[in-house]
Amino acid sequence: MTAFLQLSRPVLLSLATAFETGRLHSPFNISTIKTYVPEILSSSVVEELNRLNAMGASPDHIAYTLRLLAAERSASQEIHDRVELVWTGQEVVGSQSRDTSVVVRELFSTAKSSILISSFAVDKGKKAQALFGVLASRMDANPEINVRMFLNVKRSHNNKLPESTLLKEFADTFRKEIWTGQRLPEVFYDPRSLAPGTGTKACLHAKCVVVDEERLLVTSANFTEAAHERNIEAGVLIDDPVAAKGMRSQFETLVAKNILRRVPGIQ
């Protein structure tokens, strides 16, 4: 079947039709086959067809096999079309990747009902407003859009302030220097990031965006200007409800079990 696997979907279907209509029959030769397949592959296709004929395969059997291969090729292409490379940094000649900042703005501007954002680091001030401005405006204009953010709230080295104080400081910074909209998203954190020691300390390091439980961006890029415009960052945009719902479920389950908690003061 090696020769058939090198044929495109249209060529496979054309061959299948030729068998079904009686235009192709044994014995097979190059002069006839090259009408349907690229000349460079005609010899190997003829060899494959004659092998099938010697095994007792009828024209209908061969046509059926060719149509199965064409259907599989179509399904594979659909899967391929649902996955895109997302990139920040130096472009490579011939690359088919999409720019991180462009993809994120597109996800924000096309969301209809829900957006989940997870990031280890976020910018402040004008840079943050540039990143989240589109989404904040859409939230104010459309009360049906629900936004949940999962962010890392960290305790700096040797900082001995109570967790409640650190959370209040984070909430104040979020409202004043990160989010410009009137409606605020629900913001969650991992309490382990604020553990006073190092033994149980952990951070919320996941970087992803889930939109409408239909599209999922998984990326190395934080929500910072550097990560979206200058660093070398790589990710994939997946247009697949199963993957999108699965990722959202991971976060929602952690919230339901009180492993990830709501940041007080952001309401």
Side-chain angles (χ1 to χ4, degrees):
M1 301 298 290
T2 304
F4 291 163
L5 293 177
Q6 298 179 66
L7 301 178
S8 67
R9 180 176 177 274
V11 169
L12 289 168
L13 292 174
S14 177
L15 274 176
T17 300
F19 276 106
E20 290 165 345
T21 58
R23 285 181 285 131
L24 270 181
H25 50 77
S26 63
F28 304 105
N29 56 71
I30 292 177
S31 61
T32 303
I33 291 299
K34 70 180 183 181
T35 304
Y36 301 95
V37 305
E39 187 171 354
I40 193 172
L41 296 175
S42 58
S43 177
S44 56
V45 170
V46 166
E47 183 180 341
E48 201 74 73
L49 290 173
N50 282 324
R51 182 181 298 112
L52 287 172
N53 183 62
M55 293 168 61
S58 69
D60 285 342
H61 291 149
I62 295 173
Y64 180 74
T65 300
L66 293 170
R67 289 196 178 277
L68 280 179
L69 287 172
E72 189 277 335
R73 188 71 51 80
S74 179
S76 296
Q77 186 62 45
E78 288 180 6
I79 294 173
H80 178 270
D81 291 343
R82 294 202 300 265
V83 180
E84 298 180 81
L85 173 63
V86 180
W87 183 263
T88 302
Q90 298 296 319
E91 294 293 339
V92 179
V93 176
S95 171
Q96 298 182 5
S97 63
R98 298 183 63 198
D99 185 77
T100 302
S101 61
V102 172
V103 168
V104 169
R105 285 197 296 270
E106 177 187 289
L107 291 173
F108 286 174
S109 62
T110 57
K112 299 173 184 175
S113 59
S114 66
I115 298 178
L116 181 152
I117 299 167
S118 178
S119 184
F120 170 70
V122 293
D123 270 333
K124 301 175 185 176
K126 292 182 179 179
K127 291 181 179 180
Q129 294 163 12
L131 288 171
F132 295 116
V134 172
L135 182 55
S137 298
R138 292 210 68 217
M139 274 191 71
D140 287 343
N142 186 352
E144 294 183 359
I145 294 179
N146 173 264
V147 177
R148 283 192 157 191
M149 301 179 71
F150 296 83
L151 304 176
N152 189 63
V153 182
K154 65 180 181 179
R155 177 188 294 274
S156 58
H157 183 62
N158 286 332
N159 186 319
K160 294 181 171 47
L161 290 173
E163 178 176 323
S164 59
T165 301
L166 295 175
L167 288 172
K168 184 180 184 306
E169 290 177 350
F170 180 86
D172 291 343
T173 298
F174 186 88
R175 293 194 308 270
K176 295 175 182 177
E177 299 187 50
I178 297 176
W179 198 262
T180 59
Q182 297 299 311
R183 288 183 62 214
L184 293 171
E186 299 175 25
V187 182
F188 297 84
Y189 74 106
D190 186 340
R192 297 176 302 166
S193 65
L194 296 177
T198 58
T200 59
K201 201 166 188 176
C203 67
L204 199 162
H205 202 252
K207 277 112 24 192
C208 64
V209 180
V210 183
V211 173
D212 295 335
E213 294 190 342
E214 294 177 353
R215 290 171 291 169
L216 166 64
L217 170 65
V218 179
T219 176
S220 66
N222 286 302
F223 265 84
T224 63
E225 180 269 341
H228 284 213
E229 302 289 347
R230 292 181 281 115
N231 296 348
I232 292 180
E233 308 279 1
V236 288
L237 176 63
I238 307 171
D239 187 355
D240 180 61
V242 174
K245 289 177 181 177
M247 181 65 81
R248 186 179 183 92
S249 177
Q250 290 285 108
F251 284 93
E252 299 295 352
T253 299
L254 294 178
V255 171
K257 292 185 176 181
N258 203 37
I259 295 173
L260 298 180
R261 300 174 188 172
R262 184 89 176 262
V263 176
I266 302 180
Q267 296 180 12

